[in-house]
Amino acid sequence: MPFRPRPASSAPRTLAVAQLVSAIGDGAYYTSSALYFTRIVGLPPARLGLGLAVAWAVGSLAGVPLGHLADRRGPRGTAAALALGTAVVVASFLAVRSFLPFLAAACLYATAQSGLGAARQALVGGLVPEGERTAALARLQAVLNAGLAVGAALGGVALTVGTGEAFLAAFALTAAGFLATGLLLLRLPAVTPATAAATAPAAMPSGGAAGGRPGRGGGFAVLADRRYVVVALVNTVLLLRMPLLSLVIPLWIADRAPQLGWLGSALFVLNTLGVTLFQVRTARAVTGLRSAARTVRQAGVLLLASCAVFALSAATVPLWATGALLVAGAVLQVAGEMKQSAGSWQIAFDLAPADRLGQYQGFFGTGVAVARTAGPLLLTTLLLEGGGPGWLLLGGLFLAAGCAMGPAVRRAGRDRPWRAPVTTGALTGACRRPEGLPGHTVNDDLRPPTALFPVNPSP
């Protein structure tokens, strides 16, 4: 029976199902891939790490051109094609037996994933009304975490069995998840390509893109939009939180409190459950650029507090106190993560022109690839060798980025002719008072949810 596009009213549900099945596959892959390539294929861990770093560096360059392709050819077809391509690449991993084929396949995987993220964001922008995107994205982030948890459990079965056939089953699950995602995306209503939708040039301030304003001519306009670039760079600093939970904190526990080694996995589960249960509620406070900038500022405060608590865990205290500090730090971290994600989703969409959503979201999403590539080396050096002072330095960096987001957004919002002007006073109170922190109520506007296939996935 041929696929027929579903009505627009069912698009959020279809997007959520597509998010769920791809997340289950991702969870199985992330859990089992490292041991598959080291134990079954026989790659040395150092070469595996090098290959992944190179792959994500290559993938970070693909987001803008593939997002641009989604703008020109339509995000639905582009996203579906990249999902199906990802399924093929994952299947090809089963034929890898040496480093160079692994490197080539890993680069293709990272490229497809980066492009898929950009195309999916453009698809959300085309299917979900502007005032509802952040709320939609929050729900999809919750679905993402639920799917990752299920996939990680299935991948854990492969790890427990430890045979080549078990890993084969895990990779087959991942490939099947992306295959199903591609077919589900084809069921969505078509979104008119930006080149067809833009029948007349938008009124632009004199100077165009070259003057630092978003251009609408040919090429990659986002690269000339210097103010948007600054906003994306600030967000990238905050995304350095991503390697903490998956890499740095388990190593920190193993070094400082080896008796609590099991706690690393428990904190990961805590993070996943927290996002699944509370991301939508957190996102309700974000309804526009003003509330988004304030929410990101609050994220900086929470991430600073989290780093300070982790720094305290290096002190000589009873083991139960160390465990309590680690749990408290993780709770503060997931609260900061949810606020940072919700605020950045709104900012990424509101500052992007409607006919360039793909390439703008692709550029904003490169922060994830940068965090995955540079974050492990930077943070292991800073925190595992620097100890408590290193944690405080990282927390100060998070706070500075959170406070810088308001002025950066205010400046970028001045030259968006498709938007109402951003009130200067709304964003300049960046670091004066911590409104909206736990215990306070934020009621500035009606906030939308987050996005499907979010730009800032959980680690």
Side-chain angles (χ1 to χ4, degrees):
M1 181 177 180
F3 279 99
R4 295 175 182 171
R6 298 191 175 196
S9 60
S10 68
R13 183 169 59 253
T14 303
L15 288 172
V17 175
Q19 176 81 309
L20 179 64
V21 296
S22 65
I24 291 173
D26 268 338
Y29 173 77
Y30 291 141
T31 303
S32 60
S33 59
L35 287 183
Y36 172 78
F37 288 119
T38 54
R39 291 183 181 177
I40 306 300
V41 177
L43 293 179
R47 300 204 92 184
L48 174 65
L50 173 64
L52 292 175
V54 171
W56 283 112
V58 171
S60 69
L61 302 176
V64 172
L66 289 176
H68 182 62
L69 178 66
D71 290 332
R72 294 180 63 84
R73 300 299 181 187
R76 184 189 67 172
T78 303
L82 288 168
L84 296 174
T86 303
V88 173
V89 173
V90 172
S92 75
F93 279 134
L94 298 173
V96 167
R97 291 296 179 268
S98 60
F99 177 70
L100 289 180
F102 162 74
L103 180 62
C107 288
L108 289 174
Y109 174 81
T111 297
Q113 286 289 80
S114 295
L116 179 57
R120 283 165 156 178
Q121 293 294 97
L123 186 58
V124 171
L127 293 176
V128 179
E130 182 177 353
E132 301 174 9
R133 289 173 186 161
T134 299
L137 293 177
R139 288 192 291 269
L140 290 165
Q141 180 77 352
V143 170
L144 170 70
N145 277 265
L148 287 174
V150 173
L154 296 173
V157 175
L159 293 178
T160 302
V161 176
T163 64
E165 291 75 13
F167 286 109
L168 172 66
F171 276 54
L173 175 64
T174 303
F178 280 105
L179 174 63
T181 296
L183 297 177
L184 283 166
L185 293 177
L186 289 175
R187 301 292 302 271
L188 292 167
V191 176
T192 305
T195 50
T199 56
M204 293 294 297
S206 60
R213 298 174 173 86
R216 294 194 174 217
F220 302 146
V222 66
L223 301 180
D225 188 352
R226 294 191 294 270
R227 296 176 183 177
Y228 192 89
V229 169
V230 170
V231 170
L233 289 176
V234 172
N235 187 64
T236 299
V237 173
L238 291 164
L239 287 175
L240 288 175
R241 61 168 175 77
M242 292 181 64
L244 289 176
L245 192 64
S246 59
L247 176 66
V248 177
I249 291 174
L251 294 175
W252 174 264
I253 295 173
D255 185 48
R256 262 61 178 191
Q259 306 95 317
L260 298 175
W262 56 270
L263 191 56
S265 297
L267 295 181
F268 191 93
V269 172
L270 173 67
N271 180 279
T272 301
L273 289 176
V275 174
T276 301
L277 296 174
F278 298 109
Q279 181 68 78
V280 173
R281 182 179 302 178
T282 301
R284 290 187 185 129
V286 179
T287 57
L289 284 178
R290 180 179 68 179
S291 54
R294 181 173 62 244
T295 300
V296 172
R297 181 178 75 248
Q298 294 166 1
V301 175
L302 286 167
L303 290 172
L304 168 63
S306 172
C307 289
V309 173
F310 281 125
L312 288 175
S313 70
T316 303
V317 295
L319 190 62
W320 67 266
T322 300
L325 288 170
L326 292 170
V327 172
V331 170
L332 289 167
Q333 181 188 346
V334 71
E337 171 189 328
M338 290 187 291
K339 283 184 173 289
Q340 184 266 327
S341 295
S344 65
W345 289 326
Q346 185 82 34
I347 290 166
F349 270 107
D350 278 13
L351 294 179
D355 62 345
R356 301 284 183 185
L357 277 180
Q359 62 169 277
Y360 270 67
Q361 300 308 306
F363 182 80
F364 204 83
T366 59
V368 174
V370 171
R372 285 175 171 169
T373 303
L377 177 61
L378 174 64
L379 296 183
T380 52
T381 301
L382 177 65
L383 302 179
L384 299 184
E385 296 182 11
W391 279 106
L392 294 178
L393 179 60
L394 178 63
L397 188 64
F398 285 144
L399 178 63
C403 291
M405 185 61 85
V409 167
R410 183 183 73 249
R411 179 173 171 80
R414 288 173 182 162
D415 59 3
R416 311 286 135 165
W418 59 92
R419 288 192 49 78
V422 181
T423 305
T424 300
L427 300 181
T428 49
C431 295
R432 287 188 216 151
R433 56 174 198 221
E435 322 105 306
L437 286 175
H440 295 73
T441 300
V442 177
N443 264 331
D444 58 342
D445 24 26
L446 303 171
R447 133 176 168 49
T450 64
L452 164 72
F453 316 101
V455 172
N456 302 327
S458 294

